[in-house]
Amino acid sequence: MTLPPLADRAIVVGARAADWRDAVRLAGDALVDSGCTTAEYTEAMIRMVDDHGPYIVIAPGLALAHARPGADVRCEGLSVVTLAEPVAFGHAHNDPVRVVIGLAGVAPDAHLASVAALANAFNDSSAIAAVAAATTRDEVRAILEGRSGA
Amino acid sequence: MKIVTICGAGIGSSGILKVNAERVLQRLGLTASVVAADIASVCTVAADAQVILTSAEFVEAIGPTRADVVVIENYFDTEELSRKIEAAIG
């Protein structure tokens, strides 16, 4: 199971975010920049956290920002944002967040292959710290695609 | 046996949980169908489920259920998943 190719525009390294909304917006902007989603999808991702709480922080240091498939999703896509300064989402166990993954799917089942590939990459417990510490897009890609040997 | 993973959108986090729960079940030698769903459809999807896997944020919204509601903290920690799934099933 391999990750869909991550375009340069889908990866932002060492970004600065004032708070969690900013951090999610950066991941949304990267999806918009890669042509996968519209700005409405970014707002929907933020609304998910407003409505349900910080459950998208699914592991220590990692947030998986996403919303429902819909008209604001043009193609299936992933984005990766690493933060220069960690940001708190208000999660009881997994704060603060250093890495935000943006995920967009056109249909509930269609994204499962990307999700399985993400699970492959992050089931290596050192992967989140390695992505957070990466200084180039290629390093991020190598870790997520399991080529880093980390 | 049926296991339901719940998140806000029914994609993304619940998908990760589904994929990793299936891996853990296989490792434990257990058979179960694992279905990812959003919190809005939990009543119908989880009506015949034995176990619901989710985040702490959704426990209250799940409401009364016959299933064991199991909170997962680290979705990528297969040891945590094994331990909690085994405890819920056993």
Side-chain angles (χ1 to χ4, degrees):
Chain A
M1 255 171 297
T2 50
L3 221 52
L6 276 163
D8 271 358
R9 275 172 297 187
I11 306 175
V12 183
V13 174
R16 298 204 171 263
D19 52 24
W20 70 261
R21 280 169 206 280
D22 229 14
V24 170
R25 195 163 283 128
L26 288 167
D29 288 347
L31 286 172
V32 173
D33 289 346
S34 9
C36 283
T37 59
T38 66
E40 284 76 32
Y41 188 76
T42 306
E43 294 311 313
M45 295 201 299
I46 292 172
R47 219 158 38 238
M48 287 304 276
V49 179
D50 276 332
D51 289 351
H52 300 294
Y55 78 95
I56 63 166
V57 188
I58 57 172
L62 180 82
L64 179 69
H66 62 283
R68 286 170 206 281
D72 44 10
V73 178
R74 294 196 176 104
C75 61
E76 189 183 321
L78 274 182
S79 67
V80 183
V81 174
T82 70
L83 301 172
E85 299 288 338
V87 163
F89 275 60
H91 193 279
H93 300 282
N94 295 333
D95 266 345
V97 169
R98 291 282 315 270
V99 178
V100 184
I101 306 280
L103 176 70
V106 284
D109 292 334
H111 78 297
L112 271 178
S114 330
V115 162
L118 269 184
N120 267 352
F122 285 114
N123 282 341
D124 172 352
S125 57
S126 64
I128 298 170
V131 171
T135 53
T136 67
R137 290 178 166 128
D138 281 337
E139 267 180 78
V140 171
R141 265 191 286 260
I143 297 158
L144 289 184
E145 290 164 10
R147 295 187 276 110
S148 66
Chain B
M1 178 165 36
K2 183 174 176 184
I3 296 176
V4 176
T5 63
I6 293 290
C7 79
I11 75 152
S13 339
S14 56
I16 297 265
L17 213 40
K18 171 184 153 74
V19 168
N20 280 339
E22 282 169 344
R23 283 177 191 177
V24 161
L25 286 165
Q26 198 178 12
R27 217 173 295 165
L28 294 172
L30 299 168
T31 339
S33 76
V34 187
V35 179
D38 68 345
I39 185 69
S41 53
V42 64
C43 288
T44 42
V45 179
D48 56 346
Q50 278 73 53
V51 180
I52 297 174
L53 303 176
T54 192
S55 293
E57 285 81 0
F58 295 110
V59 172
E60 219 173 295
I62 288 169
T65 170
R66 267 175 291 176
D68 268 329
V69 178
V70 178
V71 171
I72 303 299
E73 284 165 15
N74 181 344
Y75 281 33
F76 293 110
D77 184 348
T78 45
E79 267 173 50
E80 180 188 350
L81 272 165
S82 298
R83 185 163 33 84
K84 291 182 174 174
I85 289 176
E86 247 187 329
I89 289 171

